[in-house]
Amino acid sequence: MTPDTALPPMAHLTEDFAAGPQPAAEELAALAAAGFRTVICNRPDDEVPPGERAADMAAAARAAGLEFAQAIVPHGPIPHTALEAEKDALTLPGPHFAYCAAGVRAALIWAFAEAGRRPTGEIVAALSNAGLHMPGLRRQIEALAEQG
């Protein structure tokens, strides 16, 4: 990898969190050079070929000096275990870069994990500013915030 390797595409939701599609393993060093400290995998292994699975990405992340966590989000309803894993991952050193196939699930699980930690309006605005306009999400975020 050369020092001019571009960063993977991403949407910055906060100063400390960005979401995007799964990067190539060689792009992880560019993330580290850009100041990211933790990579969060939100993508199930059954969506990717060998060599791009979570264990492979974890090894590449650690080789680049990054922390690595998994909070697997399948298509469909987000399991409670994924939400708890995301909350745990967000306690690792930031800034954080989370990925899935396109970045949408990574942004959504972040929004749900932040429910009750940040004002709902701030979370919805962060999603909207990243191009994810989902007005119906406000109710879900508020419900999660009430649950604690």
Side-chain angles (χ1 to χ4, degrees):
M1 183 174 87
T2 60
D4 61 342
T5 298
L7 289 170
M10 66 183 75
H12 290 272
L13 295 158
T14 70
E15 287 183 17
D16 205 38
F17 185 88
Q22 181 168 349
E26 58 271 8
E27 291 175 309
L28 296 178
L31 285 170
F36 285 93
R37 296 186 55 206
T38 297
V39 172
I40 304 170
C41 171
N42 296 131
R43 194 167 189 195
D45 277 347
D46 64 1
E47 291 183 9
V48 296
E52 296 178 17
R53 295 189 174 139
D56 303 306
M57 295 299 289
R62 291 187 179 108
L66 296 162
E67 298 281 337
F68 187 87
Q70 289 180 264
I72 302 304
V73 181
H75 288 285
I78 295 174
H80 181 73
T81 54
L83 182 57
E84 292 306 312
E86 184 78 7
K87 288 177 183 179
D88 289 344
L90 292 171
T91 67
L92 294 171
H96 305 89
F97 174 78
Y99 71 84
C100 59
V104 175
R105 285 177 287 172
L108 289 177
I109 189 95
W110 168 85
F112 293 152
E114 289 295 298
R117 296 179 179 186
R118 293 178 187 269
T120 299
E122 183 180 315
I123 295 168
V124 172
L127 291 170
S128 184
N129 290 340
L132 301 169
H133 307 287
M134 298 179 224
L137 206 56
R138 177 179 290 275
R139 287 192 319 270
Q140 292 176 336
I141 294 168
E142 288 172 347
L144 285 168
E146 288 174 13
Q147 292 173 12

